[in-house]
Amino acid sequence: MLAEKSKPQPITADDGVNAGSRHPRLSLVPAKLESRQWAHHGFPQVQKVLRERFCHQQLPEEPEGVEAQHKHLLELLKRTAIHGESNSLLIVGPRGAGKTMLLKCVLRDLLQDKEVQKNLLQVHLNGLLQTDDRIALKEITRQLHLENAVGDKVFGSFAENLAFLLEALKKGDRSSSRPVLFVLDEFDLFAHHKNQTLLYNLFDVSQSAQTPIAVVGVTCRLDVLELLEKRVKSRFSHRQIHLLSSLTVTQYLRLVGTQLSLPDEFPDAKFAQEWNSSIETLCADKSVEEVLQRHFNASKDFRSMHMLLMLCLSRVSVAKPVIQPADLQEASRLCLADAKANMLHGLSILELCLIIAMKHLNDVYEGEPFNLQMVHNEFKKFLQRKSNSMYNFNQPVVRKAFEHLQQLELIRPVEGSSAKTQSEYQLMRLMLDHSQIMEALQKYPQCPTDVKQWAMSAFG
Amino acid sequence: MTTLLQHPGYEEGRLQKVAELLPCREVQAGMLLSLMGEPQQYSYPSIFIYGHRASGKSHVMHVLLKELELPHATVSCVECVSVVLLFEHVLRSFFGSDAASLLPCSPSLSDFVRVYRQQCSQSPAKETRYIVMEKAELLRDTDANVLPALLRLQELVEDNVTVILLSEIVWDKFRPNTGCFEPLVLNFPDYSKGELQQILSRDRHPSYSAEFYSSYINILLGVFYSVCRDLRELRHLAALNFSKFCEPVEEGKVKETDTHKLWRNIEPHLKKAMQTVYLREVSSLQWEQMQQMEEKETGILRGLSAHTHVELPYYSKFLLIAAYLASYNPARTDKRFFLKHHGKIRKTNFLKKNEKTSNHLLGPKPFPLDRLLAIFYSVVDSRVAPTASIFSQISSLVTLQLLAQVSHDDQLDAPKYKCAVSMDFICAISRTVNFDIVKYLYDFL
């Protein structure tokens, strides 16, 4: 509402839109009054359902837009689980593209089969947790509940462990032993292990007629095959599933709508209906479309969308049980805010003056690094030109301000060795953009005019 | 004021108490509360909060979690020198002290997640658990996998847990190479001048009126605001200087309402405080003692930087002077400065001032040992034999960090040095041996 008021908009196109967005609000007022009780019952439910979707990455009923990949993966894993075929495969896609979601959906569908459920063993590894082969091996033996694992402790050295595991895997054959599914999350990190022993052994088992295993790697690196050693690469089946988002804007908008709407099995059907219709009108709003278009242009993964919607959802309360276009605009503003500009806003005048001096030094000497002495000298030049200088600080105070800027990492030393040179002669680089400084200056509260003038002037 | 903090999941009275404890941070607290949701609902896996020092990041988190009695673990990354301490602390505060003992002797992240899951299955979370990491910028210096793993901890341990990172540094500087789970980034804006005044005026002295104290804060901000916006620093300064401010009132010279006279009394005092106690030249204890001794003018006591004066042997002083001259003068001017009969050099030619930036801006230049000794023999009047003691004095100047050895390639053969003392220091040294160093410096010609 506020945003609509504050923004003078062209009357012609927006009249209809505003009327459209106002409509649900008007209709909701009596609804809210009439049924206080459902607001109290229904409202926490909405939060619960939607939070599980946005924060907990709850699995959807049907993975959208990846039907082909889903089918492919399901077929492949079924062949391992039922027919005892060994396979290896990589799921590749950018962050937040739904790789884990796809895999989990497939596993859920796969496990509905009674036979598979009885038969299949699963081992989940994550490159972030299992940082070397020893830890990974312990984890595998633990998750497979092998005999030498007593309780949760695993005994034996690395070599013993590996030999044991390999023997256990080799003893099996296609017909008799249970298939094992290895899921390697953050697969690229496994490629950084020493000699890639684990990968070599897993792929080797999958290539030879031993226990049927399926190795599924999940990674966000497109060049992951280049990381593999030759012998490991040759044992890999080179089967890849690419999850590259091919969303269009209209699909994106529709997806936002479905993400926000409540499912059919929501306990309070009446509330769900009203909520869903309010979401529909929200998505039809022109300003909302604009905001979403901007987000779509920045990135089209699920995670950033969820973050945006989560921020929207947090603005919904019992008193205001509907998402309004202004909420979305506010959330988008939060998401797209420039962090460095926010930090510049909180600097003191002295620190701001130092940054302007650095900017001038950068302009004059074309990006050469500078030290505290030069910056202070530049600042003093500014003070000399002004008759009534109230910023006549002495060197230690200036140095304290300079060090604060360094702590905030707005300036960064050129080379690391700080002990060797005196602090005032250490060369620094400014980590800010020209435009960022000027913008921050415009927004700075009660910025003195002469400082502004100084920043505007081309050369010191 | 309190209307901003409303949430169905929490009791009204508690929220009111929280609101009282968080002046000027209602908006942020309300936003955090609404993001956290009701205790039993899921919250976003990781939240990153940035803002300037003393903008209430830790305080808001602490008050919210404590007053609303949510299960939480607050970890300062400064204290956790190794991640093991972090694991132990988190497990202990969520599952009691026995949980931490389940960790093996040198646990990896994998062990931590395993123990966490195991404990979690025994006592599943009824409410969202929070891990608050203060000074999160230090996480970047630990193993590369710690930060990404913490950001997706909710997914890894399959528990209703939220990791909150607090830092002064913006999120862009945290992102690892291959990316990670993006946290929800929130900003705590700086306090405006009015807000600072409001917060500082809260801790007033009971024996004086509120207006009196707030006028004092006004004067204090007038002096310090352009330099410092750190609430903690300002509060410290306010506490230190208040006794001086009310001195005239206590003596009965000035009435409480006479702001102008009070200002005239305190302003030079505060300006002096900026030079001394703000820079920690003089400790706060010394500052308080100085205020009590009235006849003694403040600032007579020498600060820390005045103590940098070092007693050196006679030749060491000259060696240091020679090193300073060698560092800050270009080598081509040595002949002119240090040779007695250097022949005619045209002054205009010599004073080539086309190098605009002086060496006192760029810092000291390295010089070889030979040049140091040549200048040394020139500036010392008497004949000095190049004994072992002269050379050992050079190396002891290096250990005192008055000189710095630049290249480590050779210890004996032609080592290079840099002079690492300031202008004031060398002037003081040369005054003790009656040597006018400014006359020999190219920059000041």
Side-chain angles (χ1 to χ4, degrees):
Chain A
M1 258 189 286
L2 277 175
E4 276 169 25
K5 264 183 202 163
S6 61
K7 250 195 227 160
Q9 285 170 339
I11 308 160
T12 47
D14 273 327
D15 247 0
V17 173
N18 277 348
S21 63
R22 208 172 287 134
H23 172 71
R25 241 172 285 145
L26 288 177
S27 74
L28 260 167
V29 171
K32 197 177 87 189
L33 290 178
E34 151 215 314
S35 48
R36 265 278 148 88
Q37 59 275 45
W38 69 243
H40 281 278
H41 290 305
F43 178 71
Q45 284 290 324
V46 175
Q47 287 273 349
K48 187 165 170 284
V49 170
L50 292 185
R51 269 169 186 276
E52 245 167 57
R53 197 178 285 165
F54 300 149
C55 303
H56 196 52
Q57 319 290 343
Q58 197 198 30
L59 295 182
E61 291 295 306
E62 272 296 306
E64 275 187 63
V66 288
E67 287 80 10
Q69 286 96 328
H70 182 264
K71 196 165 158 248
H72 182 185
L73 190 58
L74 187 61
E75 279 301 308
L76 200 83
L77 292 186
K78 236 179 206 161
R79 286 213 295 273
T80 302
I82 295 169
H83 306 300
E85 197 181 290
S86 283
N87 276 312
S88 53
L89 146 135
L90 274 178
I91 305 177
V92 185
R95 296 237 172 227
K99 302 180 289 291
T100 311
M101 187 268 295
L102 173 70
L103 186 66
K104 278 188 176 160
C105 278
V106 168
L107 281 180
R108 182 187 60 188
D109 296 349
L110 189 69
L111 287 179
Q112 273 164 6
D113 194 327
K114 274 274 158 46
E115 193 189 347
V116 174
Q117 203 176 8
K118 209 172 65 205
N119 225 1
L120 187 71
L121 291 169
Q122 290 183 35
V123 177
H124 290 267
L125 300 178
N126 191 318
L128 287 172
L129 302 182
Q130 282 77 40
T131 42
D132 62 36
D133 282 346
R134 182 187 303 266
I135 300 172
L137 216 57
K138 275 187 186 173
E139 193 62 28
I140 292 172
T141 26
R142 205 178 58 77
Q143 288 193 20
L144 286 177
H145 302 293
L146 290 173
E147 292 98 316
N148 72 337
V150 178
D152 259 327
K153 292 204 181 67
V154 179
F155 299 108
S157 68
F158 175 71
E160 271 174 55
N161 231 327
L162 182 66
F164 176 78
L165 188 71
L166 285 179
E167 202 187 334
L169 288 174
K170 268 178 196 153
K171 259 197 288 186
D173 58 55
R174 277 223 177 144
S175 48
S176 63
S177 55
R178 291 171 70 179
V180 188
L181 168 68
F182 284 92
V183 176
L184 306 181
D185 209 347
E186 307 277 352
F187 182 81
D188 49 313
L189 295 180
F190 283 100
H192 293 308
H193 292 182
K194 194 173 172 256
N195 290 340
Q196 305 185 345
T197 318
L198 181 77
L199 290 186
Y200 174 79
N201 282 308
L202 283 183
F203 284 143
D204 195 44
V205 172
S206 82
Q207 284 289 316
S208 45
Q210 297 161 359
T211 308
I213 68 169
V215 182
V216 179
V218 181
T219 180
C220 63
R221 284 188 67 161
L222 291 178
D223 63 340
V224 68
L225 284 184
E226 309 299 313
L227 298 174
L228 296 180
E229 277 178 27
K230 221 168 154 191
R231 60 190 180 122
V232 180
K233 204 167 158 183
S234 72
R235 281 165 173 77
F236 172 59
S237 70
H238 288 267
R239 215 182 257 122
Q240 291 192 27
I241 291 183
H242 285 278
L243 281 182
L244 303 174
S245 170
S246 56
L247 278 177
T248 59
V249 191
T250 42
Q251 280 172 323
Y252 187 79
L253 287 175
R254 202 169 43 77
L255 205 59
V256 170
T258 49
Q259 286 287 323
L260 273 176
S261 42
L262 292 173
D264 297 334
E265 59 266 27
F266 192 74
D268 191 335
K270 192 171 158 230
F271 180 85
Q273 208 180 357
E274 276 188 48
W275 173 272
N276 286 348
S277 71
S278 82
I279 294 300
E280 253 173 53
T281 40
L282 175 81
C283 287
D285 193 299
K286 259 273 160 19
S287 63
V288 168
E289 250 173 61
E290 235 169 67
V291 168
L292 290 177
Q293 170 92 48
R294 197 159 356 119
H295 275 269
F296 175 77
N297 291 344
S299 78
K300 41 185 178 176
D301 61 47
F302 287 85
R303 285 276 164 70
S304 59
M305 186 208 290
H306 281 165
M307 199 192 287
L308 179 76
L309 297 182
M310 180 66 204
L311 282 171
C312 280
L313 183 69
S314 75
R315 300 173 64 81
V316 176
S317 60
V318 178
K320 189 178 79 68
V322 66
I323 300 181
Q324 284 161 3
D327 292 333
L328 200 74
Q329 282 161 356
E330 181 62 24
S332 157
R333 199 187 56 74
L334 268 178
C335 270
L336 300 175
D338 181 13
K340 272 187 184 159
N342 280 337
M343 290 310 275
L344 282 176
H345 184 274
L347 293 179
S348 67
I349 286 279
L350 174 60
E351 285 153 354
L352 194 72
C353 284
L354 291 185
I355 287 207
I356 294 170
M358 290 170 202
K359 184 197 122 213
H360 283 317
L361 282 174
N362 261 350
D363 289 346
V364 175
Y365 298 109
E366 285 161 358
E368 288 291 310
F370 51 81
N371 60 29
L372 171 60
Q373 289 285 344
M374 296 173 181
V375 174
H376 194 194
N377 198 41
E378 194 73 22
F379 183 43
K380 275 193 281 196
K381 272 199 248 165
F382 161 63
L383 292 182
Q384 273 165 13
R385 274 188 287 121
K386 248 181 35 155
S387 50
N388 55 340
S389 57
M390 54 178 299
Y391 313 121
N392 226 341
F393 306 112
N394 55 359
Q395 171 94 3
V397 177
V398 173
R399 180 189 300 202
K400 191 163 171 168
F402 193 77
E403 278 164 2
H404 186 224
L405 290 178
Q406 191 181 348
Q407 261 170 19
L408 293 175
E409 298 194 6
L410 296 176
I411 52 177
R412 171 169 284 181
V414 173
E415 81 264 312
S417 66
S418 55
K420 269 201 163 168
T421 47
Q422 294 150 278
S423 63
E424 61 259 46
Y425 291 122
Q426 197 172 20
L427 290 178
M428 299 279 186
R429 264 183 215 289
L430 185 62
M431 308 305 282
L432 288 168
D433 212 318
H434 194 283
S435 57
Q436 272 175 324
I437 298 172
M438 296 319 275
E439 206 181 303
L441 213 66
Q442 295 302 329
K443 282 186 195 153
Y444 197 78
Q446 293 149 28
C447 183
T449 323
D450 43 359
V451 172
K452 235 180 217 175
Q453 285 291 326
W454 177 42
M456 301 290 184
S457 63
F459 288 103
Chain B
M1 193 202 255
T2 49
T3 50
L4 275 166
L5 274 188
Q6 276 184 345
H7 204 279
Y10 305 100
E11 290 167 34
E12 199 93 344
R14 279 193 179 167
L15 288 177
Q16 202 145 9
K17 201 172 162 200
V18 167
E20 273 163 29
L21 285 169
L22 302 173
C24 309
R25 278 287 171 254
E26 292 91 357
V27 181
Q28 281 75 27
M31 174 124 165
L32 264 174
L33 262 189
S34 57
L35 278 177
M36 283 151 64
E38 287 177 37
Q40 57 279 4
Q41 288 168 353
Y42 274 101
S43 174
Y44 208 74
S46 49
I47 301 175
F48 180 84
I49 300 174
Y50 70 99
H52 275 276
R53 196 185 309 164
S55 56
K57 302 181 291 292
S58 306
H59 180 63
V60 168
M61 279 325 301
H62 180 76
V63 167
L64 277 183
L65 295 176
K66 188 110 189 181
E67 291 296 323
L68 302 177
E69 288 178 5
L70 300 167
H72 67 277
T74 308
V75 186
S76 165
C77 295
V78 182
E79 288 169 24
C80 289
V81 284
S82 78
V83 279
V84 180
L85 292 171
L86 164 73
F87 300 156
E88 281 177 357
H89 185 80
V90 169
L91 286 177
R92 204 177 305 124
S93 40
F94 284 165
F95 307 107
S97 54
D98 354 329
S101 59
L102 287 174
L103 284 172
C105 60
S106 56
S108 63
L109 204 52
S110 171
D111 293 317
F112 168 66
V113 169
R114 175 170 56 81
V115 173
Y116 190 108
R117 277 185 174 207
Q118 186 190 336
Q119 292 292 320
C120 182
S121 60
Q122 287 165 16
S123 57
K126 288 185 216 74
E127 299 181 332
T128 313
R129 293 175 168 135
Y130 294 93
I131 302 177
V132 183
M133 312 283 300
E134 288 170 2
K135 291 243 173 222
E137 59 264 24
L138 292 167
L139 281 178
R140 297 177 300 175
D141 305 335
T142 56
D143 294 339
N145 64 331
V146 173
L147 182 62
L150 276 178
L151 288 173
R152 57 170 67 223
L153 195 65
Q154 191 178 91
E155 190 184 316
L156 292 174
V157 299
E158 289 168 353
D159 182 31
N160 186 1
V161 63
T162 293
V163 178
I164 298 173
L165 305 170
L166 310 178
S167 177
E168 270 186 78
I169 294 169
V170 296
W171 169 246
D172 301 342
K173 308 233 169 198
F174 279 74
R175 206 169 278 126
N177 284 345
T178 45
C180 58
F181 187 97
E182 292 286 312
L184 219 138
V185 180
L186 288 185
N187 179 29
F188 271 40
D190 49 300
Y191 293 113
S192 68
K193 199 169 182 179
E195 284 171 333
L196 279 177
Q197 167 116 30
Q198 194 186 330
I199 296 168
L200 285 170
S201 303
R202 278 162 71 103
D203 37 31
R204 70 184 177 90
H205 204 274
S207 53
Y208 293 95
S209 70
E211 297 85 63
F212 180 68
Y213 194 79
S214 91
S215 72
Y216 165 64
I217 292 297
N218 207 2
I219 294 169
L220 185 92
L221 283 179
V223 175
F224 281 102
Y225 187 65
S226 57
V227 175
C228 173
R229 299 197 172 180
D230 189 340
L231 178 63
R232 267 181 302 179
E233 189 97 52
L234 288 171
R235 186 175 266 168
H236 176 66
L237 288 166
L240 273 183
N241 293 308
F242 186 61
S243 62
K244 181 79 182 174
F245 182 70
C246 39
E247 224 168 55
V249 179
E250 271 173 13
E251 286 169 4
K253 285 186 204 156
V254 181
K255 270 186 292 185
E256 278 197 17
T257 47
D258 194 352
T259 327
H260 185 69
K261 272 196 182 147
L262 285 170
W263 176 75
R264 276 236 311 261
N265 176 46
I266 196 73
E267 216 235 348
H269 186 76
L270 288 179
K271 285 238 164 99
K272 193 145 275 169
M274 194 193 308
Q275 317 293 334
T276 49
V277 83
Y278 173 65
L279 299 167
R280 307 289 188 275
E281 281 271 300
V282 165
S283 74
S284 49
L285 187 68
Q286 282 173 316
W287 184 251
E288 276 172 347
Q289 281 169 352
M290 268 164 18
Q291 282 174 347
Q292 270 150 27
M293 290 182 284
E294 279 198 34
E295 71 281 2
K296 230 180 159 187
E297 190 58 32
T298 49
I300 283 181
L301 199 92
R302 289 191 309 165
L304 263 185
S305 68
H307 287 288
T308 50
H309 174 72
V310 198
E311 273 307 323
L312 287 173
Y314 186 71
Y315 286 140
S316 286
K317 285 179 183 172
F318 272 108
L319 280 170
L320 201 58
I321 289 169
Y324 193 84
L325 290 171
S327 264
Y328 288 92
N329 280 351
R332 63 177 177 82
T333 62
D334 281 356
K335 216 173 158 192
R336 157 76 168 76
F337 279 127
F338 304 114
L339 223 55
K340 285 256 166 62
H341 308 287
H342 51 74
K344 277 254 153 90
I345 300 175
R346 260 187 288 140
K347 208 165 189 187
T348 49
N349 201 13
F350 169 68
L351 284 174
K352 240 197 284 173
K353 279 287 184 183
N354 52 359
E355 311 136 76
K356 264 200 190 146
T357 42
S358 72
N359 275 335
H360 278 87
L361 276 188
L362 293 173
K365 298 265 182 300
F367 54 85
L369 180 63
D370 299 343
R371 189 165 165 233
L372 171 69
L373 287 176
I375 295 176
F376 171 67
Y377 289 128
S378 164
V379 293
V380 176
D381 291 334
S382 53
R383 283 183 66 87
V384 193
T387 52
S389 96
I390 294 290
F391 287 101
S392 75
Q393 279 181 37
I394 295 175
S395 58
S396 71
L397 283 177
V398 174
T399 40
L400 287 173
Q401 299 192 349
L402 299 172
L403 293 188
Q405 193 162 5
V406 182
S407 53
H408 281 290
D409 43 8
D410 205 335
Q411 289 284 328
L412 288 177
D413 196 23
K416 285 197 160 187
Y417 298 99
K418 241 187 202 178
C419 188
V421 298
S422 66
M423 178 86 188
D424 298 333
F425 185 89
I426 205 73
C427 283
I429 292 268
S430 48
R431 223 174 292 127
T432 61
V433 291
N434 286 324
F435 181 81
D436 189 6
I437 192 161
V438 182
K439 243 169 69 185
Y440 287 88
L441 279 169
Y442 179 70
D443 287 339
F444 298 96
L445 216 57

